[in-house]
Amino acid sequence: MNALPEIRLEAARPTLDARPLEKRVGLIALATDHTSEVDFRRMVASERVGVYVARIPYANPTTPDNLRKMQPSLSAGAALILPDEALDAICYSCTSASVVIGDAEIEQAIHAAKPGVPVVTPPMAGVRGLNAFGVKRISILTPYTVETSRPMAAYFAAHGFDIQSFTCLGFEDDREMARITPASLVELARNVTHPQADALFVSCTALRAALAVPGMEEAIGRPVVTSNQASAWNCLRLCGDETPRPEFGRLWTKPLAQ
């Protein structure tokens, strides 16, 4: 072995930025999730905004009881995202679990680890997205079973929406939900949107629905709001990014509505 060189300690300290990236978005994803992280990298991450991901335990099938079991893991998951550093927004990326557990309970659990950070859930972002269009009459499409869809219907009804139609696909495994093709979602949007609905909400962070938004909007001639599309939009708006990006749908031309 050749002789090792002398290691010299540089006396001058390099200049440090306040943060490696200007804005930070945390994402709590399910262990089984194929889609949320990919969508957030595509829609949120940039040279200005970083996306930082933690995964928490989840086991199929997608039932209200199994979804509720994630609640105790939320604080620990949030704590793993840049420990002891501030975030500009954090999203718990599960629509069905959010309506079962409750937005307030999710916020409380995340604030136990990340006090004061703005918390986004997909159904909350969906409501804000629909409010950005000023609509009340909506259709809803989910990949879930009827049992898992019922809390979703109750959530949107409680937020003042008149649900003209609600269609579910009967899937129990979120890994299969992720395999539904975006082209199929376009055709489903055409078939399930009620004539009297002013917009369509497509639920589930596992679905690759964000990719299908432009096609769905063209097919039905109305705004389409999806779980990941709305969550990403909500998080970016909380980071102060108001840039219109119509390639992600009409929603991405709108300011944040509470």
Side-chain angles (χ1 to χ4, degrees), residues 92-111:
Y92 170 45
S93 195
C94 187
T95 323
S96 52
S98 295
V99 301
V100 169
I101 296 169
D103 289 331
E105 289 76 11
I106 289 167
E107 185 174 82
Q108 182 180 17
I110 290 174
H111 280 171

Side-chain angles (χ1 to χ4, degrees), residues 233-243 252-256:
W233 164 80
N234 197 159
C235 287
L236 267 188
R237 294 296 186 259
L238 289 171
C239 289
D241 189 330
E242 299 288 341
T243 306
W252 279 65
T253 67
K254 298 287 187 180
L256 181 62

Side-chain angles (χ1 to χ4, degrees), residues 64 68 95-96 98-103 123 127 138 140 142 144-163 165-166 201 203:
R68 198 173 288 110
T95 323
S96 52
S98 295
V99 301
V100 169
I101 296 169
D103 289 331
V127 167
I138 63 172
I140 297 177
T142 83
Y144 319 128
T145 62
V146 171
E147 177 193 19
T148 303
S149 294
R150 285 194 186 101
M152 189 71 58
Y155 181 96
F156 279 89
H159 281 82
F161 293 97
D162 182 358
I163 302 172
S165 64
F166 194 119
F201 177 68
S203 179

Side-chain angles (χ1 to χ4, degrees), residues 122-253:
M124 177 197 306
V127 167
R128 290 171 177 167
L130 293 165
N131 286 342
F133 292 104
V135 300
K136 288 300 179 184
R137 296 178 301 179
I138 63 172
S139 287
I140 297 177
L141 171 65
T142 83
Y144 319 128
T145 62
V146 171
E147 177 193 19
T148 303
S149 294
R150 285 194 186 101
M152 189 71 58
Y155 181 96
F156 279 89
H159 281 82
F161 293 97
D162 182 358
I163 302 172
Q164 299 289 302
S165 64
F166 194 119
T167 305
C168 66
L169 304 179
F171 283 78
E172 293 186 327
D173 191 317
D174 69 325
R175 296 164 299 182
E176 288 188 347
M177 298 174 198
R179 291 166 53 195
I180 298 171
T181 66
S184 295
L185 294 173
V186 172
E187 287 307 307
L188 281 164
R190 194 192 314 273
N191 294 336
V192 306
T193 304
H194 192 277
Q196 299 302 315
D198 298 314
L200 171 67
F201 177 68
V202 183
S203 179
C204 190
T205 57
L207 289 179
R208 290 176 288 160
L211 290 170
V213 169
M216 287 191 285
E217 290 188 329
E218 182 178 359
I220 69 173
R222 278 159 279 186
V224 173
V225 175
T226 80
S227 292
N228 287 350
Q229 172 227 30
S231 297
W233 164 80
N234 197 159
C235 287
L236 267 188
R237 294 296 186 259
L238 289 171
C239 289
D241 189 330
E242 299 288 341
T243 306
R245 297 171 73 182
E247 66 271 24
F248 297 142
R250 300 183 195 181
L251 178 59
W252 279 65
T253 67

